[in-house]
Every structure is written in C-alpha cells, then in structure tokens.
Amino acid sequence: MAELEGPEFGKADFVLLDEVTMEQFLENLRRRFSQGRIYTYIGEVVVAVNPYRTLELYGPPAVERYRGRELYERPPHLFALADAAYKAMKRRAKDTCIVISGRWTVAVGGGCVWGTLGWAPLAQSLPSFARRERGGQDGGQQIHHAVHRRHHQPHPTRRGGEGEERAAEVQLRPGSLRQRQDQPQRQLQPLRQVHGHQLRLQGRPHRRPHPQLPPGEVPNPPAAAGREELPRLLPAATGSPGGSAGLPPPLPGPRRLPLHPGGCSGLREWGWGGRRVGRGWAGGSRPLTPCVSPPKCPPQACGDDADGYRAVEEAMAVIGFSPEEMGSVRRILATILHLGNVGFVAEGETAAVEDAAQLSALAELTATAPGSLRQALLTRTVAAGGGELIEKGHSPKEAAYARDACAKAIYERLFCWIVGRINASIAAHDYDVRLHGKSTVIGVLDIYGFEIFDTNSFEQFCINYCNEKLQQLFIELILRQEQAEYQREGIAWQSIEYFSNEPIVELVEQPHRGILALLDEACLAAGTVTDSLFLASMDTRLGRHPHYTSRKLCPTDKTMEFNRDFRIKHYAGDVTYSVEGFLDKNKDTLFQDFKRLFYNSADAVLRAMWPDGEQSITEVTKRPLTTGTLFKNSMVALVENLASKEPYYVRCIKPNDQKSPTLFDEERCRHQVSYLGLLENVRVRRAGFAYRQPYHRFLLRYGLRPPSRDPRQPPPAPPHLALPPRYKMTCEYTWPNHLMATDREATQALLEQHGFQDDVAYGHTKVFIRTPRTLFCLEQERAQLIPIIVLLLQKAWRGALARRRCRYLRAAYTIMAYYKRHKVKAYLRELLRRFQAVRTLPDFGKSVVWPEPPAVLARFQDASQRLFCRWRARQIVKNIPPSEMGQIRAKVAAMEALEGLRKDWGCQRSWARDYLSSPRENPGQALPFARRLQTLKDKVHFGSVLFSCHVRKINRFSKSRDRAILVTDQHLYKLDPRKQYRVMRALPLSTVTGLSVTSCQAQLVVFHTQSQDDLAVCLHKMQPAEDNRVGELVGVLLEHCRATKRELQVRVSDCIQLSLRGRRRLLTVETRPGAVTPDFGKSRDGFVLYWPGR
C-alpha cells in the first residue's frame, strides 16, 4: 500500500480492486487521472496515463524520495520501478529489463513519452548511487549506459499525429569510465535526437521521444535500424494506387520530414532557400539550388529550431566529430531529402529522370559522378555467372522502388555509422571483470502499442505481430514469476487460466505454414504473383485456422472486400488488413549498383558506410532476406534476450485524442486496457493472493517490529501489563516491541487477533493475503491509530529534546560562568599592571592604552575611563596657579559652546583679554586707552576688563569704520581709536542676549541685544595677524554670565541674521583673495564680510 494517498485518489494498485471488472478498472483509472495521479500499480507493473500537462513528478528531489524504497512505500512512480530493477541487478547480479509499451502521443512527440522520460532522471542518478553503495571506490562503481535502439518495419503515418512504433533498449553496465568522458556524455542527448525525430509542418512539432539517458556506450543497432522514419520522406510513386513500394500513401497538405531538433532553421542551413548544404563541405562552395520546396513553418513550430541545431552541432564537436565528418552528415541527410523529389518518366520501355538538375545536385552531395548516379537509379546490373553481366533498365515504378530503397539504406547506414562513431569516442578502457565485477545490464524496451486503423497494411501487421509476441512473453514471464515466488515461499501453486495467444503467434511466424512464410514464398515465386494471389494462397492454406478469416471464407461479412482484405483475431481484438502492397513492401530492392556507387564516392564518410560495395561486379550474390523475415528474426532475438532477464513493465495509456488534461475518453481507454491485457494481468496477479509482503516489512507497518530479541529475555508481558490499548498499533502484542521468537510468529499473532487467519498464508519469508478487504481493514485501523501514536511519539520526543536541551544549557552556562570569571580576572590584572605607576607619569596616564575589555565589562570600562579622566583633570588642575584658573574656566566654556562647530577658536594660546592696553598690540595708543579706561572706571566703577580689541564695524547705513570694543563686567563699549578712544556707544552687558559667530576663520562677532539693535564687528589689527580671538571673546562672556547666573546664547552659522534698529538683515562671509584687511560690503539681502584669503 502506497503511503500519502487517501481514498480520494482511488486504489494505488489495481490488484486491490473489490471486483476485477472493466468498469471498476476504468473508474479507478479515471479517478486517479482526475487527481493528477498518472501512475498506478498492478503488482510490480506500472500503468501510466498521459496527463497532457506539466507535473512536478521528476527531478533530483523525487529521485531521492524513491531511492532505496520498496514499491509500496511511496505512491506509484516510475522511479520506484527503476530503483527496484536496479536493486535486483545489483543484489542478484542478474540482468533486468524494463518493457514500456502502450499508446501515447503528446505535444512533443509520439510514443510512450512519459514512460520513457520518467525513467531518464533516475537513470542519470544511478552512477552516484552505485558509488554510494560501493563506498566511493574506483573501478566498478561507475556505470556505463548503452542505448540500443531497435527499429522495426516502417509503417505509415498514424492519424492524429500519433508516433511511430519503435523499440529502444538501454543497457546499464558497471565499468570504469574515465573523467575525460564526462563532458562528451553530457552532450550525447542532442545528438541522440538527430535521427528518428519528425516535424509536423502543419502544426506544432511532433518529435519522437528519446530517453534522456545517462552517459555511456551506444551499441551498434541491428541491420534494420532507422528505416521507419523514411516513409514520411519519400513521395508516392506516380500511378501506384498504394504509393511507392514499402511506403504509405501521402497525407494531404504539407509533408512531414524526419528532422533533428534543428527543425526549420536547421533546414535553412542544409539547403533550403538557395543556401548551400553544410558549411565548407568538400565538392564545391557554390550555393546549391534546392530540389525540395521550403516548408512554411508556423512560428510555434520553429521557435527553438535554431538553438536545437546549434546544440546538435556543439554536441557533435564535443564528442569528437571533425568538421569534415559533420559536413558529410549534413550532406548525407540533404541527399535523403533531395532523393524524395527525384521523379521518373517513361521513355519507351525504360525510365528516365524527370529533372536533370536534381540529379546534378544529388551527384554533388554524394561526391559521385552524375553518369554513375543516373545509371544506378535507372538500371540494374546482374551477374549471370561465368563473368557475364546483364544490364536491365527499370520501369518508372521499379525506379521509384529502387530510389526509396536507396534512401532507406542511406538513412539506416548513417544511423549505424553515428552510433559506431559515438562508441569509438566514449568507449570505456581498461575494463577488468576481476576488478569491476560481472557486467550486468538493465534493458529498457520502449515500443508502440497495438494498432487498429481504418486501413491496415503490412506495417500494422508487423507491429501487431510484435505486440502479440511481447504479450505472449509478458504473460509467460508474469506466470513464471508468480510460480517461482510461490515455490520459494512454499505456497501450493494453483493452475491459472488465461488467454494464450500462442496460436496467433504461430499463425504469423510458423515455418512453411505461417503468413510470413507464405509471403516469402509468394515473393520468391517465378512469374507474375499479385497480392490477390497471395491472399488466395492464405485462404487455401490457413482457412481452417480459428484466428484467420477473409471475405472469401466468410462471404456474409460485408466489412471486408473480396480479393483484398483478411482478418486476424488478435488478443486485443479483430483487425482487418488490406493485402495490397504486401508483396512490394516485403521485397528488398536495394541493388548492388547503389552499394558500388557509394563505395566509390569521394566522400570518406559515405564511402565508409558501404564496405560491401567493394565486392566485384561479376560476383554472384545471394538473394537478400525479405523485410518480413528480417523483422521476424529481430523479434525472435529480442524475445530471447528479454526472456533471459528479470522483467519489469510499464503500460502506457492515452486518455483522449484531444490532448486535454481533463478529458477521460472511457471508450478509448477501454480499448487500450483491452489490447494491453491489463485485466488479464490483474486476474493473474490475484488468482492466488492479491497481496504479499516480507514479514519484517509487514510488522514495520502494522506492528512496529523491533530490531532483534535476545533469547534470554523474558517472554512478552501479559495483556493486562501491556501499554494501554489506545497506544497500541494494530496489535498489542507486537507494538512497540514484540518479544516472540520470529517475525512470522509476530505476524501470525497480529492477524489472528483481527480474525484474518483464514484469509492468509504464511511463506518462508512473506505473508500472503488473499483478498484486498483484509488489507483495507488493517489500513483503516492503522490510519485511525496513527494520529494518537504520533501525539505519543511527539510527547516523548519533545520531552527528551527538552531534557537534553536543559542539560546542554546548564553545562553551557557553567562553562560560560567560569570563562567570564577568567576573562574578568585577566582584564583586571592587565588594567592594574598598566595603570599601577600612572601617578608618576608626566601626563598622568594620558598615553596609556586601555586593554580590550570583555563584553560583560564594556560598560564598566566606559565608567572607569570617565572616572580616570576626571581624576586626571583633577591632578592637572591642582597644579595650575590660581591666577590662571579664570582663563581655564573661560576656555572650558568656549569649548563647550564651539567644540565641533568651529575649526579654530584659539584654545592653544594664552588669552590676554585686554589687548588694547598692551604696547605690543597697540603701540602708540596704549597710553590714551589706559587714560580712557581709568576715566570710565572712575565714572562707572566697573570691577574688571573682560576683553578689548580693535574691530571693523558696519552700521545700518552700510558704512564700515575702524573702531574698538571694550567689554567690562558691566558694559560693552564701542570706542573710536582716532579720538582718544572716545565712547561712542555703551551697552549694559545685561542687555546682550546672545552672540553669533561663523564656523570659518573669519573673526566676525555679532552681539544680539534686547533692543533689536545688534552690533556686528570683525576683530582685526591683531598681533600676530592670523591670531584667532573669537573663542576668547565667547569664552570670557560665557564664564562671566555663568558667574552672574545669566544665560547667554551662542550660535555658530555662516549666514547670521541680525537686527539694526528693528530691521532684519543677513550677514555672510566671503573669502576674497588678495585682500589685506577684512572689510564689510553691501549684499542683496544685507551685508557681506570680505575676509582675506588665498
């Protein structure tokens, strides 16, 4: 039972259906399709339905989810099947195979796309999985992958864009792959898609899917490889009712051409639209006039063609194809395209080429002489013995047959040559069985399903015969597997009745009496033998066969035509075949003339594809085998190969013809389920027991088996001592630990407790359950108990996690405490060592570097540094004389007001304050100033002079004059130096509300007063001239205001607003190079101070 799928998704395994009927089967299939569950099991068979939409089912996460799991542990998926096949190969060293069949056609191509591509991502991951299993050892841990594509008889284009029948075998072989091969392996995918792809020109491109397989070797395909694509390339012969020999009648509208992923854009590189085929190819560089009219591709069909074409060329270059070889491949493919347009007309009793220009183009592409090419197309040379040669001309119809056979052979041999060239490039070297182990393989056979069309011809006959053969093998291998498993487990084998299609296979392939034998006999008969005579021969010799009939044998059946139709009762249903064209399609018309022609080509690649052309023209050759015989031999070899391996199956179903992700066509699905024999498969699987599982796995799901039990342990506890029933799984004796001797006994106890002992059987290693209802009852009970047990486990686990985390935290906190203590002690010791002698240092420890504190002491160090700074300041202040303290306090006040706002404010020099009284500062005027100062002191009785200096002032009339200012502890005086420092204005200091200075070097000071009549001055005539006294003036006034407990606002701004007699003006500073002294000027908004500068 797959986990994570509820009843709304239906049954994950068709074996578990309540009743095995077509209605139940289709209903379960429909329900899963509607829920996006495209995979369903029939035991170990995967039934896949085309979703016609993108699903998140693949990729590395999905691969990891299914790696190492059993089939029933996860929802159905191809990855589970692939992993099971891989484990079977590794564990038992036995070859396995995966058979993919059915009828799928999706938007990217025809065939079993999702079946094949779903296998690819897991196959790509197998090498790493092998390395993991082998512990990363070199040698046999890497895996080589081989692609063996088996192409059978060509057949016509199907209706609705359905893909072609094909079979692909993928081999995975242990071996040693050198590191240098990694890059070429990644480039193999585009090159694998070069051949066998097709483009539907009237709609979206339909490409044949090729599995994106992992790196490895591509074995050489059989002789018929690659031919099935050619019928869409060549036109129908004129006058032939059924088309040319071996070809179907063409469809109306644009033709379908077999192209690589380069599509339309690639064709332009090869010769469409007047461009030459290939780049730099031997044989000339002139543009080649195309013989095939260029197709009109819709935009959606050509969207990525150019990128695809470049990807193919890059892949070929990386793998090792030389430019000459790539040019040859392009020319050969162009040759096939141009051959399709070569027409023939009658000239008397022989044929002639309709357009000589086409012949010249083909001769240039194949690097052969035009005369030799013409002769090979129009005549046939026969060796009669004794060195005698007979040249026989073709009729138009025979020439068309020969042309088609030539195109098929060229394509086939090009396919084989590319495969061989890839093998030579990526071949594994130094492989040693003793080191790398036995070489085992996983074969992947991808083949189209049964075909029933309105008109069924030789191609459908071969395909349906192939499906009959594989269906016979399918049933036989399943029965063989069932019987072998019963015998291994010691369960009595019951005879199972099933439909045997062996009579149908014998009807086709029986020697001397089968349809293929009669067809070969008709082809080899002398004289004129027609398809009607062949049908009459079959009526005569097969008329009594229960699976064969015709209109002659059943005259009342008007669904068949006289002398044309016969019917075979296949396992999938009755199919009516038209005998027309059987003889022509069975003959091989590739004459020796073509082999000699291409062997003598100047193109080395083309010449290497035709080694049999070396044979002498006079040598008598055997008649080649017919197409039917080659197909039968290939099928016999394929069946023998599959029978020697352990098989796994994927059966693909197409839900509708409209490619709708929601439409489920019940009738169409019913038909596919019927001809795939899926109900037969379910019945065979359920004939004995519907479900089987190893004991330990069964207990893990329903009883939670313990790892092992010591025989010395006591027997299981009685029921009344066990855990409460609500905490049990499905059996109280097996959960959480069973103490019985074997897993079989525990399983038996579990089933007997539920009363299912009559519906099961016990094998050596597995329990067999007869009906699905038993399993459903166990699943329902398990589903009800899971939430309770999950809560119990969550409670126990959360408690364990909490206790463990508590222990961890306690230990961590203890360690942290000791460590913090150690860091604190180390820090304090280092701090003590550095500051121990700080009192004796000249700078009292200013140069001492503080140690880096631990995080816990960061705040402690900040506080300590503040305390240290205060202590150091105290020590410095103690040594300052009392006469200097006033200056110190003024500087501190200035620093608080100007620090960070003005670059230089004169803190590094000594502040003299009264500069006008100094003869050095004011020579010749110091004595008059002293007299004026004494006069003011006698009059006003001020206490001290705070500041005096020469200034340049500006008044409200924009006139500037030289003046002097005197600041006492009571007044601010404006003095005239030219008139013995006469007082021109006296402002009580209590009316000064603030100061404004600039942030630059200009010595501008604005005194703001309560009367809105401010005083703007600029200090000048200082000694030295670059002296900075603004800070001194600000500091002195601030210290005086602090002492008098008055507030004074100091503003620093480069644009100062002042009031002159109530009128507001703006005062700014400009640097004027070349100026000697500062001066005021008038500006638009007020005044400007021109400061000398460089």
Side-chain angles (χ1 to χ4, degrees):
M1 290 294 293
E3 295 182 357
L4 307 177
E5 287 199 338
E8 68 274 10
F9 298 112
K11 304 292 193 302
D13 195 329
F14 285 111
V15 173
L16 302 178
L17 291 175
D18 295 333
E19 297 180 5
V20 185
T21 63
M22 180 63 77
E23 288 71 22
Q24 290 271 352
F25 192 98
L26 291 176
E27 173 59 25
N28 189 63
L29 195 68
R30 183 199 60 76
R31 177 178 296 182
R32 293 185 63 79
F33 172 74
S34 63
Q35 295 290 337
R37 298 302 195 266
I38 64 172
Y39 297 121
T40 313
Y41 289 142
I42 301 178
E44 294 184 349
V45 177
V46 175
V47 178
V49 182
N50 193 332
Y52 288 119
R53 53 177 166 154
T54 301
L55 297 176
E56 298 296 333
L57 293 178
Y58 311 107
V63 172
E64 292 301 324
R65 187 184 180 202
Y66 284 88
R67 190 193 305 277
R69 298 286 185 173
E70 299 296 333
L71 286 175
Y72 45 80
E73 292 187 52
R74 291 286 185 265
H77 202 289
L78 282 176
F79 290 171
L81 187 75
D83 190 72
Y86 181 75
K87 287 188 293 187
M89 179 188 73
K90 299 296 291 182
R91 293 173 180 173
R92 297 193 285 272
K94 184 178 179 181
D95 296 344
T96 59
C97 65
I98 298 178
V99 182
I100 306 174
S101 64
R103 184 183 296 273
W104 277 18
T105 304
V106 296
V108 295
C112 311
V113 173
W114 291 83
T116 305
L117 294 184
W119 152 257
L122 187 63
Q124 289 175 340
S125 69
L126 289 181
S128 60
F129 182 52
R131 286 192 293 271
R132 187 180 305 176
E133 283 192 343
R134 294 173 179 260
Q137 301 177 359
D138 271 342
Q141 73 272 32
Q142 296 196 23
I143 296 181
H144 286 179
H145 306 275
V147 182
H148 188 183
R149 189 160 293 279
R150 311 179 69 92
H151 295 262
H152 299 295
Q153 176 65 22
H155 57 281
T157 304
R158 296 177 177 84
R159 297 172 299 168
E162 294 174 357
E164 293 77 16
E165 177 276 331
R166 73 264 186 267
E169 183 178 346
V170 182
Q171 298 180 351
L172 308 177
R173 306 190 298 183
S176 62
L177 186 61
R178 294 185 179 179
Q179 186 68 25
R180 66 176 179 82
Q181 298 169 347
D182 292 345
Q183 180 66 18
Q185 300 302 337
R186 289 192 292 268
Q187 298 292 338
L188 270 180
Q189 179 62 18
L191 187 55
R192 287 173 183 149
Q193 296 177 342
V194 170
H195 292 270
H197 282 252
Q198 56 181 331
L199 180 67
R200 173 176 285 275
L201 299 179
Q202 61 263 39
R204 291 183 57 84
H206 285 245
R207 296 173 182 167
R208 292 189 45 220
H210 293 254
Q212 298 180 0
L213 298 169
E217 180 188 355
V218 184
N220 293 324
R227 289 190 181 181
E228 79 243 26
E229 300 295 345
L230 269 297
R232 265 145 312 284
L233 176 64
L234 305 173
T238 305
S240 176
S244 59
L247 302 176
L251 292 177
R255 286 183 294 147
R256 299 171 65 185
L257 306 178
L259 306 177
H260 70 85
C264 303
S265 298
L267 285 178
R268 299 187 185 98
E269 298 282 347
W270 290 352
W272 295 115
R275 298 177 64 178
R276 68 175 183 268
V277 181
R279 295 186 291 270
W281 47 276
S285 59
R286 67 173 181 84
L288 176 66
T289 302
C291 299
V292 188
S293 56
K296 297 180 180 178
C297 293
Q300 64 270 25
C302 302
D304 299 328
D305 289 343
D307 293 338
Y309 178 77
R310 285 190 292 269
V312 170
E313 285 202 329
E314 291 173 3
M316 295 178 73
V318 169
I319 291 172
F321 283 80
S322 65
E324 293 76 12
E325 291 174 332
M326 294 166 63
S328 295
V329 171
R330 287 192 291 267
R331 290 194 299 275
I332 292 171
L333 290 176
T335 298
I336 300 171
L337 293 175
H338 284 257
L339 267 176
N341 275 19
V342 174
F344 302 98
V345 295
E347 286 187 358
E349 296 182 357
T350 60
V353 177
E354 186 176 15
D355 187 355
Q358 296 176 357
L359 196 65
S360 300
L362 283 172
E364 188 174 1
L365 289 171
T366 57
T368 58
S372 301
L373 179 59
R374 180 189 301 273
Q375 184 177 4
L377 286 171
L378 300 180
T379 63
R380 174 188 180 189
T381 303
V382 181
E388 182 181 0
L389 298 177
I390 301 175
E391 186 174 290
K392 178 182 178 297
H394 293 318
S395 66
K397 184 175 180 179
E398 291 172 343
Y401 290 159
R403 174 204 62 196
D404 297 348
C406 176
K408 296 178 186 179
I410 293 174
Y411 192 83
E412 168 198 342
R413 299 199 181 206
L414 176 61
F415 185 92
C416 297
W417 179 84
I418 291 178
V419 168
R421 186 67 181 79
I422 295 175
N423 285 341
S425 175
I426 65 174
H429 304 282
D430 303 328
Y431 180 81
D432 190 344
V433 177
R434 293 173 298 178
L435 294 177
H436 307 140
K438 177 185 175 183
S439 178
T440 54
V441 304
I442 295 180
V444 177
L445 175 68
D446 182 5
I447 187 169
Y448 200 85
F450 208 82
E451 293 188 343
I452 304 177
F453 296 153
D454 293 338
T455 301
N456 302 287
S457 188
F458 182 69
E459 295 81 19
Q460 284 70 46
F461 174 77
C462 292
I463 294 168
N464 294 342
Y465 158 62
C466 171
N467 279 274
E468 286 282 0
K469 194 79 174 175
L470 292 179
Q471 177 69 12
Q472 180 187 22
L473 176 68
F474 175 63
I475 297 297
E476 289 178 356
L477 291 181
I478 286 182
L479 288 176
R480 188 189 307 170
Q481 283 180 329
E482 290 285 302
Q483 187 173 6
E485 184 174 25
Y486 279 46
Q487 291 175 353
R488 285 196 307 267
E489 297 295 328
I491 304 296
W493 172 253
Q494 302 176 6
S495 178
I496 300 175
E497 296 183 0
Y498 64 95
F499 174 78
S500 175
N501 58 351
E502 185 175 355
I504 305 174
V505 175
E506 290 182 353
L507 171 66
V508 177
E509 68 177 13
Q510 186 178 13
H512 309 296
R513 294 179 56 86
I515 295 177
L516 291 178
L518 296 179
L519 183 59
D520 289 349
E521 181 180 330
C523 291
L524 300 178
T528 303
V529 180
T530 63
D531 295 328
S532 300
L533 293 177
F534 166 61
L535 178 59
S537 175
M538 286 196 300
D539 290 341
T540 302
R541 302 175 67 172
L542 302 175
R544 296 185 179 181
H545 198 285
H547 295 277
Y548 174 86
T549 186
S550 67
R551 183 64 185 275
K552 181 179 179 181
L553 299 177
C554 187
T556 59
D557 189 350
K558 296 183 180 181
T559 60
M560 294 183 289
E561 294 289 338
F562 281 108
N563 299 325
R564 191 192 74 177
D565 297 340
F566 69 94
R567 180 176 296 158
I568 297 178
K569 297 180 180 179
H570 291 280
Y571 78 95
D574 297 349
V575 182
T576 302
Y577 297 98
S578 174
V579 79
E580 293 179 352
F582 262 58
L583 295 180
D584 293 334
K585 295 173 183 179
N586 192 47
K587 295 176 182 178
D588 187 350
T589 55
L590 180 65
F591 302 123
Q592 189 71 18
D593 303 73
F594 290 110
K595 301 176 182 179
R596 286 191 291 270
L597 173 70
F598 295 133
Y599 177 75
N600 294 312
S601 170
D603 190 323
V605 174
L606 184 61
R607 183 172 60 253
M609 297 177 189
W610 302 84
D612 45 354
E614 187 180 8
Q615 192 174 21
S616 173
I617 192 173
T618 60
E619 184 176 346
V620 180
T621 59
K622 294 182 180 180
R623 183 186 296 272
L625 296 177
T626 62
T627 303
T629 300
L630 289 174
F631 188 84
K632 182 185 74 172
N633 295 341
S634 178
M635 283 306 307
V636 171
L638 175 63
V639 169
E640 290 178 356
N641 192 10
L642 293 177
S644 65
K645 296 174 173 56
E646 184 172 342
Y648 294 84
Y649 301 93
V650 180
R651 316 309 293 268
C652 303
I653 292 179
K654 178 180 178 181
N656 58 76
D657 291 327
Q658 289 73 32
K659 301 182 178 59
S660 169
T662 58
L663 179 61
F664 186 83
D665 190 338
E666 185 170 335
E667 287 303 318
R668 181 161 183 77
C669 294
R670 183 190 303 271
H671 175 66
Q672 295 175 79
V673 170
S674 175
Y675 75 64
L676 286 174
L678 299 183
L679 280 181
E680 197 78 14
N681 189 4
V682 176
R683 292 191 183 99
V684 168
R685 184 75 179 180
R686 286 186 46 155
F689 296 90
Y691 181 79
R692 70 284 314 268
Q693 198 174 87
Y695 290 122
H696 68 283
R697 290 281 184 179
F698 186 84
L699 289 174
L700 280 175
R701 186 163 184 83
Y702 303 110
L704 293 184
R705 164 187 175 272
S708 62
R709 184 183 80 86
D710 190 342
R712 294 172 295 179
Q713 290 180 349
H720 66 278
L721 296 179
L723 292 176
R726 66 189 184 94
Y727 290 132
K728 293 300 178 184
M729 199 59 174
T730 58
C731 178
E732 57 183 324
Y733 300 107
T734 60
W735 191 88
N737 297 312
H738 88 76
L739 302 177
M740 301 180 184
T742 62
D743 291 342
R744 175 173 175 171
E745 294 181 10
T747 302
Q748 188 171 354
L750 188 152
L751 292 171
E752 288 178 354
Q753 183 176 2
H754 290 81
F756 298 144
Q757 60 271 16
D758 296 332
D759 197 44
V760 298
Y762 303 100
H764 298 311
T765 62
K766 294 182 179 180
V767 57
F768 290 75
I769 300 177
R770 191 177 307 277
T771 61
R773 290 193 176 277
T774 298
L775 194 63
F776 291 153
C777 291
L778 292 174
E779 282 293 326
Q780 290 176 357
E781 186 170 349
R782 180 180 183 274
Q784 294 173 358
L785 294 174
I786 282 292
I788 300 175
I789 295 181
V790 166
L791 290 176
L792 173 64
L793 295 178
Q794 287 178 344
K795 179 185 73 174
W797 179 241
R798 287 171 180 169
L801 290 179
R803 288 188 292 272
R804 184 176 66 179
R805 186 172 182 273
C806 181
R807 291 194 298 269
Y808 286 170
L809 289 176
R810 286 178 179 175
Y813 284 138
T814 302
I815 295 173
M816 289 168 58
Y818 277 97
Y819 182 72
K820 288 179 180 178
R821 198 174 306 164
H822 163 73
K823 294 291 289 184
V824 168
K825 289 181 179 179
Y827 169 77
L828 293 177
R829 292 193 195 100
E830 180 64 18
L831 194 66
L832 182 62
R833 184 188 67 81
R834 294 188 183 187
F835 288 89
Q836 189 171 9
V838 73
R839 292 179 180 273
T840 62
L841 296 178
D843 60 353
F844 296 102
K846 180 181 180 181
S847 59
V848 176
V849 179
W850 287 71
E852 185 68 23
V856 70
L857 293 181
R859 296 177 59 187
F860 167 79
Q861 177 156 307
D862 293 340
S864 299
Q865 288 176 341
R866 289 193 296 270
L867 289 174
F868 174 75
C869 290
R870 296 184 65 179
W871 173 84
R872 180 172 170 273
R874 179 63 180 170
Q875 296 301 318
I876 294 174
V877 169
K878 284 169 54 177
N879 296 327
I880 297 176
S883 60
E884 300 291 335
M885 288 304 298
Q887 182 180 166
I888 295 299
R889 284 192 290 269
K891 287 185 177 181
V892 170
M895 180 183 67
E896 292 176 351
L898 302 179
E899 183 70 23
L901 300 178
R902 184 178 174 90
K903 294 182 181 179
D904 186 15
W905 46 275
C907 66
Q908 300 295 331
R909 63 178 182 82
S910 177
W911 290 357
R913 297 194 180 190
D914 188 5
Y915 292 97
L916 296 181
S917 298
S918 171
R920 178 175 174 273
E921 174 79 15
N922 192 14
Q925 298 290 330
L927 185 58
F929 176 75
R931 294 193 190 102
R932 180 62 61 184
L933 188 63
Q934 184 62 38
T935 301
L936 290 175
K937 189 173 184 181
D938 294 340
K939 181 180 180 180
V940 182
H941 304 289
F942 60 84
S944 61
V945 176
L946 300 181
F947 185 83
S948 66
C949 182
H950 287 106
V951 298
R952 186 78 173 176
K953 68 96 180 179
I954 184 76
N955 59 17
R956 68 179 184 275
F957 303 110
S958 302
K959 294 181 180 181
S960 61
R961 296 285 188 272
D962 286 336
R963 295 287 186 266
I965 61 170
L966 171 64
V967 182
T968 67
D969 56 356
Q970 295 181 7
H971 291 84
L972 168 63
Y973 297 99
K974 181 174 70 172
L975 309 177
D976 187 356
R978 293 177 300 177
K979 297 182 179 181
Q980 302 296 318
Y981 293 100
R982 181 173 64 87
V983 176
M984 300 185 67
R985 184 180 179 183
L987 290 174
L989 206 58
S990 59
T991 64
V992 177
T993 59
L995 297 177
S996 292
V997 298
T998 63
S999 62
C1000 60
Q1001 294 292 330
Q1003 301 297 301
L1004 177 64
V1005 180
V1006 176
F1007 296 89
H1008 300 284
T1009 63
Q1010 294 177 352
S1011 61
Q1012 302 295 317
D1013 190 9
D1014 300 340
L1015 176 62
V1017 299
C1018 177
L1019 310 181
H1020 76 137
K1021 294 183 179 182
M1022 299 174 292
Q1023 295 295 330
E1026 64 275 6
D1027 205 358
N1028 197 326
R1029 296 177 182 176
V1030 170
E1032 182 178 357
L1033 176 59
V1034 171
V1036 168
L1037 290 177
L1038 284 175
E1039 174 59 21
H1040 174 73
C1041 291
R1042 185 189 64 79
T1044 58
K1045 297 181 181 180
R1046 191 164 54 85
E1047 184 179 359
L1048 181 68
Q1049 295 182 357
V1050 178
R1051 290 187 294 271
V1052 180
S1053 174
D1054 290 332
C1055 183
I1056 301 175
Q1057 185 176 6
L1058 70 159
S1059 297
L1060 297 177
R1061 298 289 179 90
R1063 186 176 180 182
R1064 295 185 180 275
R1065 301 290 183 89
L1066 292 179
L1067 179 58
T1068 59
V1069 179
E1070 290 185 7
T1071 301
R1072 176 175 288 181
V1076 178
T1077 59
D1079 195 6
F1080 287 96
K1082 187 176 181 180
S1083 68
R1084 182 177 179 181
D1085 298 325
F1087 310 109
V1088 58
L1089 172 65
Y1090 298 105
W1091 182 256
R1094 288 178 289 179

